[in-house]
Amino acid sequence: MVLAYGKLSHARRRAAAAGGRRQVTSTSDTGATPTRPTAAFRVDIQGMRALAVTAVVLAHATGWPAGGFIGVDVFFVISGFLITGLLLREHERSGRISLPAFFGRRIKRILPAALVVLAATAALASWLFNTPRAMSTWWDAVSAALLVSNWRFEASGTDYFHATDAASPLQHFWSLSIEEQFYLVWPLLLLILLAFAAKGARPELRSRLVVGIVLVLIVSASFAFAVWQSAAAPQAAYFATGARVWELAAGALLAVCAPLLARIPMAVRVIAGWAGLAGVVASALLITGSIGFPGPWALAPVASALLLIAAGTGAGPAYSRWMFPLANPLSRGLGAISYSVYLWHLPILVFVPMLVPGTALSTVPGMLALIGCISVLSFLLVEQPLHRMPLVGTFRGDAERRAAAWTAWRDRFGQQFLYSAVGLVIVAGLAVIVLGPALRMPVAAGGPAAVAAPVGDPLQSIAGELQLATEATSWPDDLSPSLDDAISATSSTNPARACFDIGATPDAGSCTWGDAGAPKHVYLVGDSTALAYAPAFRAIADQSGGALRITTMGLYGCRFTQDLVQNSGAGVMDDCPTRKHDIAERIAADQPDLVIVSNAFTDGRSTDGRALDAAAMVASTLAETAAYQVPGRVVLLAPPPLGAELGSCYSRVSSPQDCAVGVDAAWTDFATASESAAAAAGERFISSLPFSCVDGVCPAFAGTTPTKYDRVHLTPAFAEHIAPAVLQTLQAAGAL
């Protein structure tokens, strides 16, 4: 979230000293007569903050409005406008910009509350989360403190095997990182530009003109990059500094043009203000994450925010009365605490349902109320006192003014601390009452799931293990690998990883298991679901007594279909056509006894824009296998149904039932279409249900083995565990 807070404090102090908090000197500047531009307290901008943070919090808490994330873009614009305006006015007033004072104000305003949230979140994560997720949250906290969290999320979002990881409770710090990265560079660049422009006549006009030209170039270049990256790598683009700078720079450009806005007629201001407000609301309601964002669609909320800010620039109190949705006391109050609201909302939304599931506090109204209470306390106890604390060196050489400033600070915030401390005690008491049972909850371990499953043929044995797992009320203490290790390892321990990786098509010899002289040759091909099955087929080949050799290769993220299906994984779309072509040629040349194809059971979209449902995807798969020239020797192997997100559902206070899910409807649609189409084409379809679910329930482990490391992919250990059951299923279908 953009953190454009406290940026009017300097202007407020100057306004108060002049005898008026609200209305101060106008900022018109023709270049003929030097002026002393100041800024009035903008109640409309306070209301914009309230609107923006409300959109973000509601979107995270309820999923509505779908485009609530555009609140971030509104804050970027506000921040660029206010900060640049302050810097320009400081330079025009004094002929200089004090970088130590600027960074001191930033540190006071941003750092204290942020560090409190980071520390609290990291501590709770260590207690509640599974080990990999807790460690990841700690690294998220470190990257946020170092102002590089957006780079961390940008990198993890483009990692194919981590793209579906549970959301971090600190993910919202990405926008703070971008904003502060901008402000580490922008004041320095502004100083250089102002020094260059100060030479010659009419320096203030020249300065704003030079700065404006540079900002136009920055906005244009960054927006173009955003449009390109949003199409090429949308997950990375969302967090990329280069794709977001244009939003801050657009606000800065408006600040440069502020003197031109002072003479706008009131009627035009009101129309523009309401149009901007309508644009922000419409953006939140209509924009979704499935379209190009931040380029080009962030242009809508950014332009609307610019229009809304411009309408109120240089306006008097009458304008605020017209913009009552933003200027009312409720909006102003929420705007004042919106920084704390934004910092606390996501950790609360993540942790409270884990601590007190099924209680009133874990409902949306309960969590929103808790966000409000904690945010007010954070605002009163941390944010305001440290923000208003006099900077060291502010009154250097004037001991009397320094002493007066510190006395005023103590008088004001001493009383505030007292009231806030009473409120904190009350909230803490209620928290102990509500959270007491959760705080005493022991870590679940052992239980019915640890009982040995019935011994029988492979399919019966797996079914028995799955049945016991669906009845378990606590996690077994002898899982191997542990759930923590399973989450951490992902595909890195898969013996076929190199045969499915990005790059040149791998050598078939290095991706073949079993006796080179085996009478039967089998291929396993497909996307990452085929990769997940690979350890099972290696075990089948190794245990075949020289009867089988199995070649397994494909490309994760690449559907082995005739249509090229869109995928945002880094490098996937570049390598997918070549990989499919090379493997098809190899199969056609080798003429194996059997080709097993496994692709994800999810709808897709072709690169030419066509939507591909289950029937279309299955038809496209069989069209691809026709190029193998092995009619009657193709098996469509279904992936397991989608499971729970293990990184989210497994924690120190969760139950196995939290990670057991039913068979998803998409899987059923694909299975029905696959079975029908395969039979019509004279091929075979193999269901994965006998070795992944029982009675329509798919648990997170079977026996002593975790089944998946995310929603989609089998753990290598479980794939090896089900090898006999997979072989039995293939033999029963007459495929082997």
Side-chain angles (χ1 to χ4, degrees):
M1 169 62 63
V2 175
L3 305 172
Y5 302 92
K7 294 162 179 140
L8 292 177
S9 58
H10 188 65
R12 290 183 190 176
R13 289 195 296 270
R14 295 204 320 272
R21 177 182 174 94
R22 288 296 184 92
Q23 190 64 37
V24 292
T25 309
S26 129
T27 60
S28 76
D29 182 7
T30 64
T33 304
T35 62
R36 292 186 44 154
T38 58
F41 174 54
R42 295 284 299 269
V43 294
D44 57 326
I45 288 183
Q46 201 79 310
M48 289 178 66
R49 291 174 179 148
L51 176 63
V53 79
T54 299
V56 172
V57 172
L58 286 179
H60 285 160
T62 69
W64 182 92
F69 54 83
I70 63 95
V72 171
D73 308 273
V74 173
F75 272 109
F76 276 147
V77 176
I78 294 173
S79 179
F81 173 78
L82 294 179
I83 285 290
T84 304
L86 284 175
L87 293 173
L88 287 174
R89 288 191 296 274
E90 179 183 355
H91 187 270
E92 291 170 356
R93 183 184 67 252
S94 64
R96 59 189 293 273
I97 293 176
S98 173
L99 292 181
F102 171 77
F103 290 119
R105 291 192 298 268
R106 295 297 296 170
I107 290 171
K108 285 198 310 171
R109 186 62 190 93
I110 299 302
L111 198 59
L115 289 181
V116 170
V117 174
L118 293 176
T121 302
L124 278 172
S126 299
W127 175 49
L128 288 174
F129 287 166
N130 55 69
T131 301
R133 192 177 182 193
M135 290 302 299
S136 178
T137 303
W138 270 92
W139 281 113
D140 292 342
V142 171
S143 65
L146 296 176
L147 305 178
V148 294
S149 63
N150 64 307
W151 297 345
R152 173 170 168 80
F153 296 129
E154 179 183 356
S156 63
T158 57
D159 183 340
Y160 180 82
F161 288 98
H162 288 274
T164 59
D165 281 357
S168 167
L170 296 175
Q171 183 167 300
H172 56 316
F173 273 77
W174 70 269
S175 55
L176 175 58
S177 293
I178 287 181
E179 183 179 358
E180 298 313 312
Q181 289 161 15
F182 180 76
Y183 291 129
L184 285 173
V185 176
W186 176 234
L188 299 174
L189 177 58
L190 187 59
L191 269 179
I192 295 172
L193 295 175
L194 292 174
F196 169 78
K199 300 175 182 178
R202 308 173 72 182
E204 291 183 6
L205 179 60
R206 282 170 51 86
S207 296
R208 289 188 177 251
L209 183 60
V210 169
V211 173
I213 292 173
V214 171
L215 284 170
V216 167
L217 295 176
I218 293 173
V219 170
S220 301
S222 176
F223 181 73
F225 177 76
V227 172
W228 171 80
Q229 193 176 33
S230 295
Q235 288 178 309
Y238 192 84
F239 299 112
T241 304
R244 292 288 190 168
V245 162
W246 69 274
E247 302 178 34
L248 287 148
L253 182 60
L254 182 61
V256 172
C257 301
L260 303 177
L261 306 174
R263 298 174 182 172
I264 298 177
M266 180 58 68
V268 175
R269 289 185 185 278
V270 172
I271 293 172
W274 278 94
L277 178 60
V280 171
V281 173
S283 297
L285 294 174
L286 301 177
I287 291 177
T288 67
S290 62
I291 62 176
F293 205 90
W297 284 102
L299 188 60
V302 167
S304 299
L306 288 171
L307 186 61
L308 192 49
I309 295 172
T313 301
Y319 174 75
S320 298
R321 290 194 290 272
W322 280 102
M323 298 303 298
F324 55 87
L326 302 179
N328 64 79
L330 178 61
S331 294
R332 292 175 59 183
L334 180 55
I337 65 168
S338 53
Y339 178 41
S340 287
V341 170
Y342 185 75
L343 289 180
W344 283 106
H345 84 280
L346 197 53
I348 289 172
L349 292 176
V350 170
F351 289 128
V352 168
M354 297 179 67
L355 284 168
V356 286
T359 66
L361 195 60
S362 64
T363 63
V364 170
M367 288 190 289
L368 292 179
L370 186 60
I371 290 169
C373 291
I374 293 179
S375 298
V376 169
L377 288 172
S378 176
F379 177 78
L380 296 176
L381 286 173
V382 180
E383 186 181 331
Q384 279 292 288
L386 295 178
H387 176 212
R388 301 301 183 186
M389 184 174 63
L391 280 172
V392 175
T394 301
F395 305 109
R396 184 175 299 168
D398 192 336
E400 184 177 347
R401 289 184 64 199
R402 181 169 58 249
W406 281 103
T407 300
W409 183 80
R410 285 194 302 270
D411 290 345
R412 175 180 178 185
F413 291 104
Q415 187 180 48
Q416 181 170 304
F417 269 122
L418 177 62
Y419 294 149
S420 300
V422 172
L424 182 61
V425 169
I426 294 173
V427 172
L430 293 174
V432 169
I433 295 172
V434 175
L435 300 180
L439 295 173
R440 294 188 295 270
M441 186 181 297
V443 176
V451 178
V455 178
D457 67 13
L459 284 173
Q460 288 180 338
S461 179
I462 290 293
E465 292 176 348
L466 292 169
Q467 182 66 47
L468 284 173
T470 62
E471 298 169 357
T473 57
S474 58
W475 294 104
D477 53 13
D478 58 349
L479 289 176
S480 180
S482 68
L483 289 171
D484 286 338
D485 289 342
I487 296 168
S488 300
T490 64
S491 70
S492 59
T493 60
N494 193 306
R497 174 64 188 256
C499 302
F500 286 77
D501 216 339
I502 296 292
T505 302
D507 173 67
S510 63
C511 299
T512 299
W513 298 308
D515 193 327
K520 285 189 176 182
H521 188 193
V522 175
Y523 266 81
L524 169 67
V525 301
D527 58 14
S528 60
T529 60
L531 168 62
Y533 274 124
F537 284 89
R538 183 180 72 167
I540 290 171
D542 291 343
Q543 298 167 15
S544 69
L548 287 174
R549 59 189 173 100
I550 299 179
T551 301
T552 177
M553 58 200 313
L555 179 66
Y556 59 76
C558 172
R559 307 282 188 93
F560 271 58
T561 55
Q562 188 176 68
D563 293 294
L564 184 59
V565 181
Q566 287 281 8
N567 186 282
S568 60
V572 171
M573 299 311 296
D574 294 332
D575 290 356
C576 187
T578 301
R579 186 69 57 89
K580 290 192 298 182
H581 176 267
D582 292 348
I583 291 177
E585 284 193 337
R586 192 163 291 167
I587 292 174
D590 287 353
Q591 285 296 297
D593 299 276
L594 189 68
V595 176
I596 300 171
V597 181
S598 188
N599 286 321
F601 271 9
T602 56
D603 295 345
R605 185 171 293 276
S606 65
T607 51
D608 59 8
R610 289 179 293 114
L612 302 171
D613 59 10
M617 291 290 288
V618 172
S620 188
T621 300
L622 290 172
E624 176 71 11
T625 64
Y628 302 161
Q629 301 177 30
V630 287
R633 288 174 280 167
V634 172
V635 168
L636 302 183
L637 174 59
L642 292 178
E645 181 56 66
L646 191 60
S648 297
C649 67
Y650 168 62
S651 72
R652 300 182 188 278
V653 294
S654 69
S655 158
Q657 301 306 312
D658 297 324
C659 295
V661 299
V663 178
D664 58 287
W667 189 95
T668 301
D669 292 342
F670 268 83
T672 301
S674 297
E675 186 173 20
S676 175
E683 311 293 2
R684 298 175 179 85
F685 167 73
I686 300 295
S687 172
S688 59
L689 290 183
F691 42 82
S692 56
C693 308
V694 61
D695 296 332
V697 179
C698 311
F701 64 93
T704 61
T705 309
T707 56
K708 295 189 180 77
Y709 59 78
D710 60 10
R711 297 191 67 204
V712 178
H713 304 102
L714 298 173
T715 64
F718 188 68
E720 292 180 3
H721 184 61
I722 63 174
V726 173
L727 177 61
Q728 182 182 3
T729 304
L730 289 169
Q731 290 172 335
L736 284 177

